[in-house]
Amino acid sequence: MTFRARHLLGIEPLHPLEITTLLDLADTYVDLNRRTIKHSDALAGMTQINMFFENSTRTQASFELAGKRLGADVMNMSVSQSSVKKGETLIDTAMTLNAMHPDLLVVRHQNSGAVNQLAEKVNCAVLNAGDGKHEHPTQALLDALTIRRAKGRLHRLTVAICGDIAHSRVARSNLILLGKMENRVRLIGPPTLMPAGVAEFGCEVYDDMKAGLEGADVVMMLRLQKERMDGAFIPSEREYYHRYGLDAEKLAFAKEDAIVMHPGPMNRGVEIDGTLADDINRSVIQEQVEMGVAVRMAAMDLLARNLKAHRGAEAAGEH
Ligand code: ASP
């Protein structure tokens, strides 16, 4: 099998073939999800726990639905009621849950690196549902599937990622994935919202939106991550929208058939014009949500297969 990973902690450790394997399987789950009876038994008998220490709408709902459609027993741990509020550390909580024998643990946490740390302590498969400014691998994979289906390929495309690059795990995971698949990535945004060392990323960097969008096949907008900003990064939202908000006039600089993406949640009138976001001829934002469920089903299915094989080999070694 060409998917060897035991956890899905980020895009960084994945081989391009593993990415393709996962997307190919996700395509089959898109078909399943469009049927009236959306059921598979890939995770039958397995337990999936979702631990979200940061707010989430799409990601949490989509992981829950994905697990249920694959036949897993799914538990959502509500952090507001958990012992974490009483001062228990993330690792203690993970060890407690580990003792209940979950097979898949889906974790979102505000600290970069927290999910990797946790994966070292537990003996199930761990999926990173977003850790701080670090990675959001299933988002990048669902974006990749959306692009591949809309453009018919996932290589030699010009993809413009625009806005708050510095605070975005979505931008990070996407630029790693798109780079691995040999696309040309451009980062567009004010210098205050570019990460330190951006020159080393191997991307073209623009602070002028129109110049950056010239000839782009894909335009990916990002939300201003105010919760991760400690100070003023932009003069005002109005000024930001004027310079970096995507509207029809700026989009006209991209290719005529360029698609518009946004991971959500969207701030209409801040990073994107509301009418453009809803324009089904240009925007694939709803498709991204649909692909999210399929990609998470594929990721959990592949990890579950590896987990079963690993446990089987361990058991065989014991005798
Ligand atoms: N939902 C994405 C994330 O969790 C993007 C965002 O919040 O702006 O990173």
Side-chain angles (χ1 to χ4, degrees):
M1 178 163 62
T2 41
F3 190 89
R4 296 229 174 80
R6 281 194 62 193
H7 303 290
L8 183 61
L9 301 175
I11 298 298
E12 188 83 70
L14 295 181
H15 188 276
L17 267 178
E18 291 184 297
I19 296 173
T20 304
T21 301
L22 195 151
L23 299 183
D24 290 348
L25 181 60
D27 266 329
T28 70
Y29 282 127
V30 174
D31 296 339
L32 179 75
N33 290 338
R34 288 182 180 175
R35 294 194 205 136
T36 308
I37 309 297
K38 309 162 181 57
H39 206 74
S40 136
D41 57 7
L43 300 184
M46 299 183 100
T47 302
Q48 173 192 337
I49 301 183
N50 298 332
M51 290 167 82
F52 279 70
F53 295 90
E54 238 188 22
N55 291 342
S56 169
T57 315
R58 268 156 292 271
T59 308
Q60 185 166 358
S62 145
F63 265 114
E64 182 175 351
L65 212 50
K68 287 181 171 164
R69 287 185 182 167
L70 295 180
D73 294 315
V74 185
M75 187 187 107
N76 287 307
M77 212 190 73
S78 164
V79 176
S80 58
Q81 289 159 23
S82 81
S83 295
V84 177
K85 291 270 172 214
K86 299 180 191 158
E88 190 175 82
T89 68
L90 168 69
I91 301 299
D92 283 336
T93 308
M95 295 306 287
T96 304
L97 292 174
N98 193 48
M100 299 179 196
H101 299 294
D103 302 291
L104 296 142
L105 208 49
V106 179
V107 188
R108 168 169 288 189
H109 198 276
Q110 59 281 7
N111 296 344
S112 306
V115 185
N116 289 53
Q117 220 187 332
L118 186 145
E120 287 170 16
K121 307 277 178 198
V122 296
N123 37 34
C124 59
V126 177
L127 292 101
N128 181 1
D131 64 325
K133 295 188 278 184
H134 179 225
E135 281 234 34
H136 193 352
T138 55
Q139 178 71 47
L141 289 161
L142 75 86
D143 290 340
L145 186 62
T146 309
I147 295 173
R148 197 174 79 164
R149 291 172 70 101
K151 294 280 151 206
R153 66 180 199 273
L154 188 60
H155 59 274
R156 278 187 281 113
L157 292 167
T158 300
V159 182
I161 307 182
C162 319
D164 184 0
I165 314 285
H167 301 100
S168 173
R169 53 195 177 207
V170 174
R172 228 184 98 75
S173 289
N174 261 301
L175 75 89
I176 300 171
L177 188 152
L178 292 165
K180 278 183 197 272
M181 306 311 275
E182 293 175 15
N183 295 283
R184 187 167 166 196
V185 181
R186 296 182 185 164
L187 301 178
I188 311 175
T192 47
L193 293 177
M194 284 296 160
V198 69
E200 288 145 39
F201 291 7
C203 309
E204 298 161 52
V205 180
Y206 294 84
D207 66 359
D208 179 67
M209 186 96 171
K210 291 174 182 168
L213 290 181
E214 187 75 53
D217 296 288
V218 177
V219 182
M220 194 181 281
M221 301 308 299
L222 300 170
R223 180 178 67 89
L224 285 176
Q225 311 267 303
K226 289 192 209 138
E227 70 278 24
R228 297 192 217 290
M229 296 182 188
D230 48 4
F233 285 79
I234 55 162
S236 71
E237 284 186 355
R238 213 167 145 232
E239 171 76 13
Y240 182 81
Y241 181 67
H242 177 66
R243 294 204 53 192
Y244 299 102
L246 187 68
D247 56 15
E249 194 206 323
K250 294 191 192 88
L251 183 63
F253 285 81
K255 281 201 184 138
E256 216 177 314
D257 61 352
I259 53 169
V260 174
M261 307 179 76
H262 193 302
M266 250 187 304
N267 290 310
R268 292 168 186 261
V270 179
E271 68 262 358
I272 190 164
D273 167 58
T275 313
L276 182 57
D278 297 333
D279 179 355
I280 52 163
N281 296 315
R282 305 310 297 268
S283 160
V284 292
I285 296 171
Q286 293 307 318
E287 278 87 339
Q288 287 175 272
V289 179
E290 181 186 5
M291 296 309 125
V293 181
V295 151
R296 289 172 179 123
M297 289 168 84
M300 292 198 290
D301 179 352
L302 290 170
L303 291 175
R305 292 185 207 182
N306 290 352
L307 184 71
K308 285 178 198 162
H310 177 76
R311 286 182 180 162
E314 260 187 2
E318 275 167 20
H319 297 300

